[in-house]
Amino acid sequence: KEVNAPQTTLPSETIAQQETESAKHELVVLDIFAVNDLHGKFADSDTQPGVDELSTYLKNAQQTGNTILLATGDMWQGSSESNLTGGLIITEWMNEMDFAAMAVGGHEFDWGEEQLIKNQEMEEFPFLAINVYDRQTNAQVEYCQSSVVLDQNGVQIGIIGAMGDCYNSIAVAQVKDVY
């Protein structure tokens, strides 16, 4: 009498299905860099790199293709180069470096909302601030989004921006129209 041995291999359709399911859950490594408190530091010093050294470092990191650059506030005000351009030189650099988003910090208001909006009109990435509202309308300011969803090589990442208490670090007159 012939006995059928248990099957030890899977049919090819089952293997193909498992490979497809496995591919759906493939591990993706992301490198996320957050730059904060740059304060317009265009040229490097003994204590802090400027955008020249930072650019080289970040461009090398971006070669993986899985790098996300974020700014977490206080990017513009501080150096003479940035102050003379109202932060536009740093916004241009951030565009060149392919920043994905920027959370607005208190010092982004140092030159008033008008200059912040000029930078926002030039940027190629969203300004984020879930908690900045127009005092007259009680609506979120038009120049900021609450959040953004990034797609990095098929992986979706949600980024939320929030600003600390701007009244502690800058002149109240510069933020009189927002809360």
Side-chain angles (χ1 to χ4, degrees):
K1 182 174 178 179
E2 192 175 298
V3 178
N4 288 335
Q7 190 173 5
T8 58
T9 59
L10 296 172
S12 60
E13 305 85 42
T14 304
I15 293 171
Q17 182 181 12
Q18 286 179 345
E19 287 173 352
T20 302
E21 291 296 320
S22 176
K24 287 181 186 177
H25 304 289
E26 184 177 318
L27 178 66
V28 176
V29 176
L30 300 174
D31 293 316
I32 301 174
F33 291 87
V35 178
N36 65 289
D37 293 295
L38 184 66
H39 289 285
K41 190 72 172 161
F42 202 75
D44 63 296
S45 68
D46 292 338
T47 59
Q48 182 181 2
V51 298
D52 54 349
E53 289 181 3
L54 197 52
S55 296
T56 301
Y57 179 80
L58 294 174
K59 285 288 185 186
N60 286 336
Q62 288 174 316
Q63 292 179 8
T64 67
N66 279 343
T67 302
I68 298 170
L69 299 181
L70 302 172
T72 56
D74 295 348
M75 296 296 289
W76 304 323
Q77 194 278 344
S79 74
S80 58
E81 297 91 350
S82 188
N83 289 355
L84 289 171
T85 65
L88 295 173
I89 194 169
I90 298 299
T91 300
E92 287 176 6
W93 170 75
M94 293 171 69
N95 286 339
E96 180 65 29
M97 294 301 301
D98 198 25
F99 274 73
M102 176 176 132
V104 173
H107 288 293
E108 269 67 66
F109 289 92
D110 281 353
W111 301 305
E113 273 186 289
E114 185 177 308
Q115 188 61 39
L116 190 151
I117 291 168
K118 284 182 185 177
N119 275 280
Q120 186 266 338
E121 291 170 347
M122 179 186 190
E123 52 80 7
E124 297 171 0
F125 48 88
F127 283 3
L128 305 177
I130 195 170
N131 59 338
V132 178
Y133 290 88
D134 183 292
R135 201 171 287 284
Q136 290 181 340
T137 65
N138 290 325
Q140 187 176 19
V141 294
E142 293 181 12
Y143 48 84
C144 290
Q145 298 173 208
S146 297
S147 61
V148 65
V149 176
L150 307 175
D151 188 307
Q152 188 73 22
N153 294 329
V155 177
Q156 292 191 328
I157 304 108
I159 307 293
I160 300 169
M163 188 174 83
D165 182 6
C166 62
Y167 295 105
N168 287 332
S169 61
I170 61 172
V172 174
Q174 300 295 28
V175 289
K176 67 183 180 343
D177 296 328
V178 299
Y179 68 93

